Amino acid sequence: MSDTCDILISGGGIAGLTAAAAFGTAGFKVICVDPTPPIIDGTAEGADLRSTAMLQPARILLERAGLWDNLAPHAAPLQVMRIIDAGGAESEPRVTREFDAADISDQPFGWNFPNWLLRREMMTRLEALDTVDFRAGIGTKRLFTRVGGAKVTLSDESTVQSKLVIAADGRNSPMRTAAGISVRTQRYGQKALVFVVTHPTPHENVSTEIHRTGGPFTLVPLPDRDGLPCSAVVWMDDGRLIQERLEMDVAHFEDEASVRSTHHFGPLTLVSPRQAWPIVTQYANRLNAERLALIAEAAHVMPPIGAQGLNMSLTDIATLLDLAQERREGLGDAKMLEAYHTERYGDITLRVRGIDLLNRASQAGSTVARDARAAGLSALYSAAPVRKMLMQMGLGMR
């Protein structure tokens, strides 16, 4: 016998859990599955130690999903985005520019959260919703669709019949593959090293992105830890170099990270394990198939620059939610899903290409390319209308 629901969500990462909470709160009957149970303790083995900056528009969706009130006490506001070019002969700042949210809004750009904590609060919300059935340890296996609905076979050989299937199952999405949707992929030879540090100088709610070569070194504010200012770090560089740093002894690694940070907040002290992730750009050639919608990394993957990745995913969810509430009787039909593709695809491809260009600029190794990058940063910043437009575009307000 098959279970039935309005929406089956394949994938229980942050995007999948947010979608489950949003659609469940809106009154849809949801089944969400993921082959890997979420780790909701930051000290547990395998915990996701990355952090996510939720930009202003994301808060609206989190409120609609009943998540914001529980997340707010853990938020580290991001009031200023500081960009430093350190591409000279020595690893020291030569151009520093700050983008202040106060220039365009009475709110911060966004709020930063550890990923494991997001999962914890999202799981708590799902447990309170009688409209959501979350099944850990179970994945999706086969997809069969017809005009009137979809039938999905799960990894335990049970089946679910639903009006809409949402693929939130990652860059190697089994549901996207089952639907025959192809992707375009660009590799850079980079990896991102992620870890958490404390430092003597307060970050003052400033997210700092330092460019030299190989990729940016970004420090994103977190709440104080053991009485010391604390930041999440994403260090992008050539994959071979990242692997070497992953294996360094702690003292040597702290010294190298402090130098790469230009000692901006003083010496860095490692307070978490290190994890590495490959950097790619990838996007699906379509966001929909019969009874299927792609969101998050099933739809688009990009380098972690400008906090665009998950925030684009949340825009995917908000767009689908609006369409679903407008068309409850036609949930998951061709008209709804074509509207979803049309509304999101142009924005996704524009942002993917923009982040690709920024990443290539951040990799610059030659003196000429580094100087051009520094000059470009100064030119963009000096024109106030352009500066404001870039901030608004980064937030998804334009």
Side-chain angles (χ1 to χ4, degrees):
M1 180 181 294
S2 292
D3 289 324
T4 61
C5 63
D6 296 319
I7 301 168
L8 172 69
I9 300 173
S10 176
I14 291 173
L17 295 176
T18 302
F23 283 96
T25 300
F28 294 96
K29 184 179 179 182
V30 176
I31 295 176
C32 180
V33 300
D34 193 280
T36 304
I39 299 174
I40 58 176
D41 180 351
T43 64
E45 183 177 354
D48 185 350
L49 301 177
R50 294 172 294 177
S51 67
T52 295
M54 299 288 195
L55 301 180
Q56 281 184 24
R59 176 172 172 172
I60 298 170
L61 177 65
L62 296 174
E63 289 173 343
R64 293 174 70 183
L67 291 165
W68 179 253
D69 286 348
N70 287 338
L71 287 173
H74 307 287
L78 306 177
Q79 182 63 37
V80 173
M81 301 292 186
R82 178 181 295 144
I83 299 178
I84 297 173
D85 188 275
E90 302 296 330
S91 183
E92 57 186 30
R94 58 175 181 170
V95 177
T96 300
R97 297 291 183 262
E98 293 189 350
F99 298 82
D100 193 330
D103 290 342
I104 59 171
S105 173
D106 59 359
Q107 296 184 49
F109 284 116
W111 302 265
N112 200 44
F113 301 91
N115 283 7
W116 65 265
L117 186 144
L118 288 171
R119 286 184 168 88
R120 185 189 73 190
E121 297 304 321
M122 289 171 179
M123 286 301 299
T124 298
R125 175 59 180 160
L126 296 191
E127 289 167 2
L129 288 169
D130 58 13
T131 51
V132 178
D133 177 6
F134 179 75
R135 303 181 186 180
I138 299 174
T140 51
K141 190 174 179 180
R142 292 187 295 275
L143 172 68
F144 173 76
T145 64
R146 53 194 182 279
V147 173
K151 180 179 179 180
V152 178
T153 302
L154 304 181
S155 58
D156 64 356
E157 297 301 330
S158 65
T159 59
V160 175
Q161 298 198 45
S162 68
K163 297 175 183 177
L164 171 64
V165 178
I166 297 177
D169 43 9
R171 61 187 68 184
N172 299 315
S173 167
M175 288 293 92
R176 185 188 66 218
T177 300
I181 300 174
S182 59
V183 297
R184 303 181 189 187
T185 304
Q186 171 68 52
R187 292 179 171 84
Y188 304 93
Q190 289 172 297
K191 288 185 178 180
L193 188 60
V194 298
F195 52 97
V196 178
V197 296
T198 56
H199 38 81
T201 304
H203 50 58
E204 297 181 329
N205 297 327
V206 176
S207 179
T208 303
E209 192 172 279
I210 303 167
H211 294 263
R212 184 163 171 78
T213 187
F217 185 102
T218 306
L219 299 108
V220 187
L222 288 173
D224 288 359
R225 181 164 178 158
D226 300 325
L228 289 170
C230 184
S231 295
V233 178
V234 180
W235 186 355
M236 292 169 55
D237 208 339
D238 177 81
R240 178 184 57 82
L241 297 175
I242 290 295
Q243 189 61 36
E244 290 176 1
R245 293 168 188 143
L246 193 63
E247 299 168 0
M248 279 180 184
D249 66 81
V250 171
H252 187 188
F253 176 77
E254 290 176 337
D255 287 344
E256 187 160 326
S258 297
V259 169
R260 181 60 181 82
S261 73
T262 70
H263 290 90
H264 192 69
F265 293 127
L268 305 180
T269 300
L270 185 67
V271 294
S272 78
R274 288 160 276 179
Q275 295 176 335
W277 304 84
I279 299 299
V280 302
T281 289
Q282 177 177 286
Y283 62 98
N285 286 313
R286 282 202 67 81
L287 301 180
N288 67 301
E290 188 174 60
R291 293 288 164 179
L292 176 72
L294 308 183
I295 69 167
E297 290 201 344
H300 44 76
V301 183
M302 65 192 69
I305 296 174
Q308 292 298 299
L310 184 65
N311 286 280
M312 285 172 57
S313 304
L314 299 185
T315 303
D316 298 341
I317 297 167
T319 302
L320 265 182
L321 180 60
D322 289 342
L323 290 168
Q325 289 182 308
E326 291 170 7
R327 296 183 52 79
R328 283 183 180 265
E329 296 303 315
L331 178 66
D333 67 11
K335 185 175 181 179
M336 173 187 162
L337 294 180
E338 185 62 34
Y340 169 65
H341 172 83
T342 300
E343 187 164 342
R344 290 294 300 132
Y345 198 70
D347 179 65
I348 288 169
T349 53
L350 177 65
R351 291 177 188 277
V352 163
R353 290 166 184 162
I355 294 298
D356 172 71
L357 288 172
L358 289 173
N359 187 42
R360 291 177 188 279
S362 77
Q363 288 183 280
S366 71
T367 300
V368 172
R370 290 185 190 182
D371 289 347
R373 182 182 62 206
L377 173 60
S378 294
L380 289 173
Y381 184 85
S382 62
V386 174
R387 183 171 70 249
K388 290 182 179 180
M389 181 186 70
L390 290 173
M391 288 191 283
Q392 290 168 338
M393 289 180 66
L395 290 178
M397 296 166 61
R398 297 183 65 127

